[in-house]
Amino acid sequence: MSTIYFVRHAESPKTDLDERTRGLTDTGQMAAARVSRFLTTEKINFFYSSPYQRSLLTIEGAARSLGQAIRIDENLRECVFSGQHQTMPQTDVYPLVRQMFADHAFSRDSSESFQSCQRRGVQALTSILQNHPGKRIVIGTHGLIMTAIFHHFDTKYDFDFLWQTTKPDIYRLTFNGTELVNVSRCRFMIDTLQ
Protein backbone atom coordinates (compact mmCIF):
# COMPACT_ATOMS: atom_id res chain seq x y z
CA MET A 1 0.00 0.00 0.00
CA SER A 2 1.17 3.51 -0.84
CA THR A 3 0.12 6.63 1.02
CA ILE A 4 -0.13 10.01 -0.68
CA TYR A 5 -0.54 13.22 1.31
CA PHE A 6 -2.06 15.89 -0.92
CA VAL A 7 -1.20 19.25 0.63
CA ARG A 8 -3.20 22.19 -0.66
CA HIS A 9 -1.04 25.30 -0.26
CA ALA A 10 -1.45 27.80 2.58
CA GLU A 11 -2.93 31.30 2.16
CA SER A 12 -1.29 33.28 -0.61
CA PRO A 13 -1.60 37.00 -1.40
CA LYS A 14 -3.39 37.95 -4.61
CA THR A 15 -1.12 40.99 -5.01
CA ASP A 16 1.48 39.16 -7.11
CA LEU A 17 0.11 39.04 -10.64
CA ASP A 18 2.16 35.98 -11.61
CA GLU A 19 0.62 32.68 -10.53
CA ARG A 20 4.02 31.00 -10.44
CA THR A 21 5.68 33.42 -8.01
CA ARG A 22 2.92 34.11 -5.48
CA GLY A 23 4.28 33.30 -2.02
CA LEU A 24 2.50 33.04 1.32
CA THR A 25 0.89 35.64 3.56
CA ASP A 26 2.01 35.92 7.20
CA THR A 27 -0.99 33.76 8.12
CA GLY A 28 0.01 31.30 5.40
CA GLN A 29 3.55 31.09 6.78
CA MET A 30 2.25 30.27 10.26
CA ALA A 31 -0.07 27.61 8.82
CA ALA A 32 2.83 26.15 6.79
CA ALA A 33 4.73 25.71 10.06
CA ARG A 34 1.81 23.62 11.36
CA VAL A 35 1.83 21.61 8.13
CA SER A 36 5.54 20.94 8.65
CA ARG A 37 5.09 19.80 12.24
CA PHE A 38 2.35 17.41 11.17
CA LEU A 39 4.22 15.97 8.17
CA THR A 40 7.45 15.37 10.10
CA THR A 41 5.54 12.84 12.25
CA GLU A 42 4.24 10.89 9.23
CA LYS A 43 7.45 9.05 8.14
CA ILE A 44 7.46 10.61 4.67
CA ASN A 45 9.75 9.01 2.06
CA PHE A 46 9.42 11.48 -0.83
CA PHE A 47 8.24 15.04 -1.48
CA TYR A 48 6.80 16.24 -4.78
CA SER A 49 5.39 19.67 -5.59
CA SER A 50 3.86 21.94 -8.13
CA PRO A 51 6.48 24.44 -9.34
CA TYR A 52 4.38 27.32 -7.95
CA GLN A 53 6.01 29.06 -4.97
CA ARG A 54 2.99 28.86 -2.66
CA SER A 55 2.98 25.05 -2.89
CA LEU A 56 6.72 24.72 -2.40
CA LEU A 57 6.72 27.08 0.57
CA THR A 58 3.91 25.15 2.26
CA ILE A 59 5.85 21.86 2.35
CA GLU A 60 9.51 22.96 2.33
CA GLY A 61 9.83 23.10 6.13
CA ALA A 62 8.87 19.45 6.47
CA ALA A 63 11.16 18.39 3.62
CA ARG A 64 14.06 20.32 5.16
CA SER A 65 13.40 18.82 8.63
CA LEU A 66 13.46 15.32 7.16
CA GLY A 67 16.53 15.99 4.98
CA GLN A 68 14.54 15.41 1.81
CA ALA A 69 14.68 17.19 -1.54
CA ILE A 70 11.43 18.36 -3.14
CA ARG A 71 10.95 16.98 -6.64
CA ILE A 72 9.22 19.52 -8.89
CA ASP A 73 6.62 18.23 -11.33
CA GLU A 74 5.17 20.76 -13.78
CA ASN A 75 2.09 18.55 -14.17
CA LEU A 76 1.13 19.18 -10.52
CA ARG A 77 0.64 22.93 -11.12
CA GLU A 78 -2.77 24.51 -10.73
CA CYS A 79 -5.18 24.65 -13.62
CA VAL A 80 -4.28 27.54 -15.92
CA PHE A 81 -7.22 29.95 -15.60
CA SER A 82 -5.79 32.53 -18.00
CA GLY A 83 -3.54 32.22 -21.01
CA GLN A 84 -0.86 34.40 -19.38
CA HIS A 85 -0.63 32.56 -16.01
CA GLN A 86 -1.89 35.76 -14.38
CA THR A 87 -3.55 35.86 -11.00
CA MET A 88 -7.33 36.27 -11.16
CA PRO A 89 -9.45 37.83 -8.40
CA GLN A 90 -11.24 35.26 -6.23
CA THR A 91 -14.57 36.74 -7.33
CA ASP A 92 -13.74 35.71 -10.91
CA VAL A 93 -12.14 32.35 -10.18
CA TYR A 94 -14.98 30.52 -8.43
CA PRO A 95 -17.70 31.21 -11.06
CA LEU A 96 -15.22 30.03 -13.70
CA VAL A 97 -14.41 26.90 -11.70
CA ARG A 98 -18.11 26.15 -11.19
CA GLN A 99 -18.57 26.29 -14.97
CA MET A 100 -15.57 23.99 -15.46
CA PHE A 101 -17.13 21.38 -13.16
CA ALA A 102 -20.42 21.65 -15.07
CA ASP A 103 -18.68 21.25 -18.44
CA HIS A 104 -15.37 19.40 -18.26
CA ALA A 105 -14.40 20.48 -21.80
CA PHE A 106 -15.05 24.20 -21.18
CA SER A 107 -12.11 26.56 -21.47
CA ARG A 108 -11.98 30.36 -21.48
CA ASP A 109 -9.52 32.62 -23.28
CA SER A 110 -6.77 30.04 -23.90
CA SER A 111 -7.21 28.67 -20.40
CA GLU A 112 -7.09 25.00 -19.52
CA SER A 113 -10.18 22.81 -19.32
CA PHE A 114 -11.06 20.67 -16.30
CA GLN A 115 -10.50 17.65 -18.54
CA SER A 116 -6.95 18.56 -19.55
CA CYS A 117 -6.01 19.63 -16.00
CA GLN A 118 -7.35 16.35 -14.63
CA ARG A 119 -5.54 14.28 -17.28
CA ARG A 120 -2.11 15.71 -16.53
CA GLY A 121 -2.68 15.51 -12.76
CA VAL A 122 -3.72 11.85 -12.89
CA GLN A 123 -0.73 11.07 -15.14
CA ALA A 124 1.62 12.70 -12.61
CA LEU A 125 0.04 10.82 -9.70
CA THR A 126 0.14 7.49 -11.56
CA SER A 127 3.82 7.97 -12.35
CA ILE A 128 4.60 8.79 -8.70
CA LEU A 129 2.72 5.70 -7.48
CA GLN A 130 4.46 3.45 -10.01
CA ASN A 131 7.90 4.85 -9.17
CA HIS A 132 7.50 4.55 -5.38
CA PRO A 133 5.29 1.55 -4.51
CA GLY A 134 4.59 1.14 -0.82
CA LYS A 135 6.01 4.54 0.12
CA ARG A 136 4.65 7.61 1.94
CA ILE A 137 4.70 10.62 -0.36
CA VAL A 138 3.76 14.28 -0.01
CA ILE A 139 2.39 16.17 -3.01
CA GLY A 140 2.31 19.97 -2.63
CA THR A 141 -0.50 21.15 -4.84
CA HIS A 142 -3.58 23.34 -5.39
CA GLY A 143 -7.33 23.19 -4.88
CA LEU A 144 -8.71 22.61 -8.37
CA ILE A 145 -6.13 20.12 -9.63
CA MET A 146 -6.31 18.21 -6.35
CA THR A 147 -10.09 17.98 -6.62
CA ALA A 148 -9.88 17.06 -10.32
CA ILE A 149 -7.54 14.16 -9.46
CA PHE A 150 -9.86 12.97 -6.68
CA HIS A 151 -12.84 13.33 -9.08
CA HIS A 152 -11.12 10.88 -11.45
CA PHE A 153 -11.50 8.20 -8.77
CA ASP A 154 -14.88 9.27 -7.35
CA THR A 155 -17.26 11.91 -8.75
CA LYS A 156 -18.38 12.91 -5.24
CA TYR A 157 -15.27 15.11 -5.26
CA ASP A 158 -16.89 18.03 -7.03
CA PHE A 159 -17.22 21.80 -6.85
CA ASP A 160 -18.92 21.61 -3.44
CA PHE A 161 -16.04 19.54 -2.10
CA LEU A 162 -13.51 22.07 -3.44
CA TRP A 163 -15.51 24.95 -1.93
CA GLN A 164 -15.24 23.45 1.59
CA THR A 165 -11.49 22.81 1.46
CA THR A 166 -9.19 25.19 3.30
CA LYS A 167 -5.80 26.81 2.69
CA PRO A 168 -3.86 24.81 3.71
CA ASP A 169 -5.53 21.42 3.73
CA ILE A 170 -4.17 17.87 3.82
CA TYR A 171 -5.80 14.70 2.49
CA ARG A 172 -4.31 11.25 3.06
CA LEU A 173 -5.01 8.81 0.21
CA THR A 174 -4.16 5.12 0.38
CA PHE A 175 -3.54 3.18 -2.83
CA ASN A 176 -3.14 -0.48 -3.69
CA GLY A 177 -0.97 -0.08 -6.78
CA THR A 178 -2.84 2.68 -8.64
CA GLU A 179 -6.23 1.74 -7.21
CA LEU A 180 -7.61 4.17 -4.63
CA VAL A 181 -8.52 2.43 -1.37
CA ASN A 182 -9.26 5.26 1.08
CA VAL A 183 -9.38 9.06 1.46
CA SER A 184 -9.26 10.85 4.80
CA ARG A 185 -8.80 14.47 5.77
CA CYS A 186 -5.93 15.09 8.17
CA ARG A 187 -6.60 17.17 11.27
CA PHE A 188 -3.48 19.26 11.81
CA MET A 189 -4.67 22.87 12.24
CA ILE A 190 -5.64 22.26 15.86
CA ASP A 191 -1.90 22.14 16.53
CA THR A 192 -0.89 25.33 18.34
CA LEU A 193 2.23 27.42 17.90
CA GLN A 194 4.00 26.84 21.20
Side-chain angles (χ1 to χ4, degrees), residues 42-100:
E42 294 296 301
K43 300 184 174 109
I44 304 301
N45 301 112
F46 297 98
F47 286 81
Y48 281 81
S49 181
S50 155
Y52 291 10
Q53 281 298 300
R54 56 195 185 273
S55 293
L56 285 162
L57 293 170
T58 302
I59 65 169
E60 75 172 358
R64 189 172 47 248
S65 291
L66 295 171
Q68 299 273 354
I70 300 174
R71 300 166 188 222
I72 306 302
D73 189 331
E74 186 69 29
N75 287 324
L76 295 172
R77 73 186 183 280
E78 182 59 295
C79 184
V80 178
F81 297 117
S82 76
Q84 305 301 316
H85 290 270
Q86 291 181 324
T87 301
M88 291 177 65
Q90 209 66 20
T91 53
D92 294 344
V93 171
Y94 278 102
L96 174 61
V97 169
R98 185 183 291 277
Q99 190 167 0
M100 292 171 77

Side-chain angles (χ1 to χ4, degrees), residues 89-122:
Q90 209 66 20
T91 53
D92 294 344
V93 171
Y94 278 102
L96 174 61
V97 169
R98 185 183 291 277
Q99 190 167 0
M100 292 171 77
F101 271 97
D103 177 1
H104 290 184
F106 170 78
S107 113
R108 188 199 84 154
D109 302 334
S110 302
S111 64
E112 197 172 18
S113 69
F114 178 95
Q115 212 166 40
S116 61
C117 176
Q118 181 185 60
R119 187 179 309 116
R120 69 174 162 77
V122 170

